[in-house]
Amino acid sequence: MTLPASGKHLLAIETTCDETAAAVIRDDLQVLSSVVASQEELHRRFAGVVPEIAARAHVERLLPVIDEALRRAALQPAQIDLIAVARTPGLAGSLLVGVAAAKALAVALDRPLVALNHLHAHIYACRLAATKEIFPCLGLIVSGGHTSLYHCHSPTNFESVGGTIDDAAGEAFDKVATLLGLPYPGGPSISQAAEHGDPRAYRFPRGLTSQKQHRLNFSFSGLKTAVRYEIWGPGQPVAGPPPLTQQQVHDIAASFQHAVVESLVDKTLLALSQTGLSRLCVGGGVAANRLLRQRLQEEAARLTVELHIAPPALCTDNAVMGAIAWEMFAAGQLADLELDVLPGLVRE
Ligand code: KG4
Ligand code: ZN
């Protein structure tokens, strides 16, 4: 369905983790503005997102970010017709800031409110870059907090078919980067180091390759532990910089990245064959990974699967992907002022 252009404006708000974002999107999916205030510099020295710091930073940044989104779209608040906010999944304190602001705006402007599932929105990022409909499709979300597979029947009907049972893929990148003494966030620094390494130098385990009940699930914690033991040895404490040559760092990075990417690709191919879907949409921060993009492109070409990977700027957290709110609005899926946050992942 292509939504009719009637010139209405959506203000979408995103505060699920550590990016404070707002965007204005017209009902023909034209993006009028997108503002993302990253908190990367606040969390870098902890090599991971600190929830309390993230929530406080959202409080400080959200209103200026919304103002800037309106300014860039050349709109007054009264010209906003619909308000959307991501309410699940994410960090409780972070989600609360966005949801409170969205509810306040909905009351003040007397406008309808749509509550978004952040993971569904990550898939919808592909719709924004595609020139046509992307549903039905298999959706793969690979981010710092999530690794999930969805059978996406329509923009308002997502069926969870698999996901990680422990760490998310991005989290594994971030933790292994710390073990290797590489800077945060780990994804980009590992993939950079991997360019100079041999992906066959170390044979790291792939999680959940054989259990039947976990055919479409992922596990990355064993892989992370295998890297830790490779560097420090079982029973040895992790202390100071890793006792590795630069070539070993590169080889471990390449071998680790290879293991993660092969797990993601294998399970995705299995999900495609189990669901019978021939279209694949990929989103989330790890979808920016070059090797993953390349491997998915190769497999999609081999299997004549239509592949959409969100463009890098829409892979990491942003509010533009909140454009899915127009689809929910059209389907009558509105929230009321009782709306609360839902931090945990609910498998629908
Ligand atoms: O989607 P996102 O911005 O935030 C969450 O919702 O979690 O994803 C952030 C994650 C981080 O773990 C980061 O290390 C990872 O995406 N990432 C990458 C790459 N760029 C970012 N992982 C692998 N390769 C990359 N090039
Ligand atoms: Zn995300």
Side-chain angles (χ1 to χ4, degrees), residues 19 21 36 53 57 69 73 80 120 127 149 156 186 194 207 210 214 221 237 244 253 262 303 311 340 345-346:
E19 259 95 28
V36 181
I53 292 175
I80 294 298
H120 301 177
R127 169 67 183 92
L149 281 167
T156 54
S210 52
H214 284 306
S221 72
L244 300 170
E262 284 314 301
L303 299 167
D340 201 357
L345 175 62
V346 177

Side-chain angles (χ1 to χ4, degrees), residues 14 16-19 118-119 122 141-146 169-174 184-191 257 283-290 315-318:
E14 154 65 39
T16 58
C17 187
D18 64 336
E19 259 95 28
H118 176 74
L119 301 185
H122 264 305
I141 299 127
V142 268
S143 72
H146 305 282
E171 192 181 348
F173 269 99
D174 293 337
Y184 175 83
S189 47
I190 286 202
S191 74
Q257 176 177 254
V286 182
N289 184 271
R290 241 187 39 202
C315 276
T316 46
D317 286 349
N318 64 86

Side-chain angles (χ1 to χ4, degrees), residues 2 12 28 46 48 58 78-79 85 162 168 197 226 228 243 276 282 293 295 315 326-327 336 345 347:
T2 308
D28 58 356
F46 304 102
H58 285 308
Q79 291 171 285
V85 63
R228 183 230 184 273
V282 188
R293 294 174 90 93
R295 285 290 298 118
C315 276
W326 281 123
E327 309 270 5
D336 59 30
L345 175 62
R347 285 221 184 161

Side-chain angles (χ1 to χ4, degrees), residues 104-253:
L105 279 169
V107 172
L109 301 172
D110 192 22
R111 295 291 187 266
L113 178 65
V114 172
L116 305 175
N117 179 313
H118 176 74
L119 301 185
H120 301 177
H122 264 305
I123 295 299
Y124 201 74
C126 294
R127 169 67 183 92
L128 293 162
T131 48
K132 58 189 182 71
E133 194 50 86
I134 59 162
F135 297 93
C137 65
L138 181 76
L140 169 68
I141 299 127
V142 268
S143 72
H146 305 282
T147 305
S148 306
L149 281 167
Y150 282 95
H151 183 151
C152 314
H153 297 277
S154 79
T156 54
N157 183 359
F158 289 72
E159 179 193 351
S160 169
V161 293
T164 182
I165 61 163
D166 41 57
D167 292 351
E171 192 181 348
F173 269 99
D174 293 337
K175 287 181 176 158
V176 165
T178 305
L179 287 171
L180 289 174
L182 297 171
Y184 175 83
S189 47
I190 286 202
S191 74
Q192 224 171 27
E195 300 280 320
H196 314 283
D198 174 5
R200 279 165 297 274
Y202 298 84
R203 172 77 199 166
F204 290 129
R206 276 79 169 142
L208 305 179
T209 47
S210 52
Q211 292 107 306
K212 240 188 160 167
Q213 77 276 24
H214 284 306
R215 278 168 71 87
L216 296 185
N217 286 338
F218 304 91
S219 166
F220 296 109
S221 72
L223 169 60
K224 189 183 63 189
T225 306
V227 173
R228 183 230 184 273
Y229 286 167
E230 189 59 53
I231 302 171
W232 296 99
Q236 258 183 276
V238 176
L244 300 170
T245 64
Q246 194 179 51
Q247 191 55 49
Q248 283 173 319
V249 169
H250 292 165
D251 287 344
I252 292 176

